[in-house]
């Protein structure tokens, strides 16, 4: 493909935080994402409070989803998101599924199915996670998740449980 006419793709990114003022972390991440060169924000969901999935001895999370239009290839987008996580003080620990200041996940990238060592898209577990599905549905109620089906059908299979919309 000719890069001078880079294709623009709609992508969805999940945001999560449960340390160091999660609401501020999510808001700062939103600003940082929309300032990445080659990215423009399309929509941003409400903030949601959720009880931790995984180890329970950690604070509740704040979660949200942003949709963007981007000309960055998926790996470049991932690297930019990791840069934002690091800039916001994320410390990667050995413990799986521990507390974090900021987690940014590429949930969906156009209609692509991606299986790279560092990046699986659509995100593994997307269909089982209320804290991803509900904010995603809020901003994209007509979405078909590549390889998984219509968002409304996924939502029906996923109880809201402890998820609470903030604002
Ligand atoms: N649990 C919730 N509720 N929200 C998250 O964003 C989140 N992120 C994670 C793990 C540790 C799996 N649990 C989570 O990475």
């Amino acid at each position: 493909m000719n890069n001078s006419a880079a294709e623009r793709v709609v992508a969805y990114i999940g945001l999560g935080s449960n340390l160091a003022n999660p609401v501020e972390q999510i808001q700062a991440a939103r600003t940082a994402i929309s300032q990445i060169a080659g990215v423009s924000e399309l929509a941003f969901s409400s903030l949601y409070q959720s009880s931790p999935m995984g180890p329970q001895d950690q604070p509740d999370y704040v979660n949200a989803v942003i949709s963007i239009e981007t000309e960055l290839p998926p790996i470049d987008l991932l690297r930019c998101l990791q840069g934002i996580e690091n800039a916001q003080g994320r410390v990667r620990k050995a413990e799986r599924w521990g507390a974090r200041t900021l987690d940014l996940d590429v949930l969906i990238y156009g209609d692509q199915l991606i299986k790279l060592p560092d990046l699986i898209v659509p995100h593994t577990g997307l269909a089982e996670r209320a804290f991803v599905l509900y904010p995603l549905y809020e901003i994209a109620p007509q979405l078909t998740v590549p390889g998984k089906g219509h968002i409304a059908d996924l939502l029906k299979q996923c109880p809201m449980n402890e998820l609470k919309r903030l604002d």
Side-chain angles (χ1 to χ4, degrees), residues 16 33 45 70 122 144:
I33 290 167
S45 75
T70 186
T144 295

Side-chain angles (χ1 to χ4, degrees), residues 16-17 50-54 58 61 63 97-98 100 103 129 131:
S17 169
S50 59
S51 48
M53 183 192 154
Q58 56 178 321
Y61 279 79
N63 286 108
W97 285 4
R100 67 266 327 266
D103 197 13
R129 295 182 175 188
F131 61 83

Side-chain angles (χ1 to χ4, degrees), residues 147-160:
K148 295 188 192 279
H150 196 279
I151 181 86
D153 294 326
L154 300 177
L155 208 71
K156 279 183 216 148
Q157 309 297 319
C158 185
M160 203 167 178

Side-chain angles (χ1 to χ4, degrees), residues 5 13 25 34 39 44 47 51 57 61 69-70 76-77 84 115 117 119 121 124 126 128 132 135 148 156:
I13 297 162
Q25 296 291 343
S34 58
V39 167
F44 191 78
L47 304 186
S51 48
D57 58 341
Y61 279 79
E69 195 174 49
T70 186
D76 294 16
L77 177 61
I84 295 169
K115 280 201 173 70
L119 183 63
V121 177
T124 322
L126 175 153
E128 292 81 43
V132 173
K148 295 188 192 279
K156 279 183 216 148

Side-chain angles (χ1 to χ4, degrees), residues 18-36:
N18 72 341
L19 290 179
N21 198 334
V23 169
E24 281 178 16
Q25 296 291 343
I26 299 296
Q27 286 166 343
R30 175 191 186 175
T31 303
I33 290 167
S34 58
Q35 289 173 350
I36 298 171

